[in-house]
């Protein structure tokens, strides 16, 4: 049942015309897939975790092992070609995503 909600593949154009909040009008946006950045070793949570892990006593926090989801939701990164402002937009779940050049007829 749930499998029907998940698409195998999504094809998207490399550019779309959508609303730009800064310019308050529709403009052409470059579309790319959002990727998570590198985790900072100086973040408070990382420092706290490393401090707790140091010394004797083994693993102190639970390691998540019961993975239930097969896919992740697609997050698009939209960059306005005029103002260079970047926004994120979430789509439905899918296994793969393909960007293609769409030619207007």
């Amino acid at each position: 049942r749930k499998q029907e909600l998940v698409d195998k593949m999504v094809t998207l154009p490399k550019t779309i015309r959508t609303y730009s909040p800064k310019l308050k009008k529709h403009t052409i946006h470059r579309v790319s897939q959002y990727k998570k950045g590198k985790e900072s070793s100086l973040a408070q949570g990382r420092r706290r975790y490393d401090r707790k892990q140091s010394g004797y006593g083994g693993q102190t926090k639970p390691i998540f092992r019961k993975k239930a989801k097969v896919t992740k939701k697609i997050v698009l990164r939209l960059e306005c070609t005029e103002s260079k402002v970047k926004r994120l937009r979430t789509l439905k779940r899918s296994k793969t995503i393909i960007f293609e050049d769409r030619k207007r007829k």
Side-chain angles (χ1 to χ4, degrees):
R1 257 178 202 241
K2 297 267 184 195
Q3 201 61 26
E4 295 163 11
L5 299 174
V6 177
D7 284 343
K8 295 266 190 290
M9 190 170 63
V10 173
T11 55
L12 292 164
K14 285 183 182 173
T15 58
I16 58 170
R17 196 165 173 280
T18 189
Y19 184 76
S20 175
K22 188 175 182 185
L23 300 173
K24 295 186 176 163
K25 63 176 187 176
H26 275 67
T27 56
I28 294 172
H29 286 67
R30 254 195 309 281
V31 183
S32 58
Q33 194 171 3
Y34 166 78
K35 293 272 195 280
K36 194 168 84 164
K38 187 170 177 270
E39 283 188 10
S40 170
S41 60
L42 300 174
Q44 179 60 56
R46 172 49 66 182
R47 296 199 309 264
R48 187 183 293 122
Y49 179 77
D50 289 342
R51 181 91 176 108
K52 195 171 184 183
Q53 285 291 90
S54 64
Y56 297 112
Q59 183 68 33
T60 59
K61 306 273 277 172
I63 299 172
F64 184 70
R65 289 200 176 91
K66 293 183 179 178
K67 190 169 177 283
K69 302 278 188 276
V70 185
T71 57
K72 287 187 188 265
K73 289 183 180 178
I74 295 171
V75 179
L76 299 181
R77 186 170 171 269
L78 305 173
E79 184 185 350
C80 179
T81 52
E82 291 179 32
S83 64
K84 302 289 185 243
V85 170
K86 294 155 194 80
R87 289 188 301 135
L88 300 179
R89 181 180 290 174
T90 312
L91 299 182
K92 59 186 174 179
R93 292 183 175 278
S94 175
K95 295 203 177 201
T96 54
I97 178 170
I98 295 172
F99 293 104
E100 60 182 21
D101 291 321
R102 287 197 183 156
K103 303 255 188 324
R104 288 216 173 139
K105 292 175 184 173

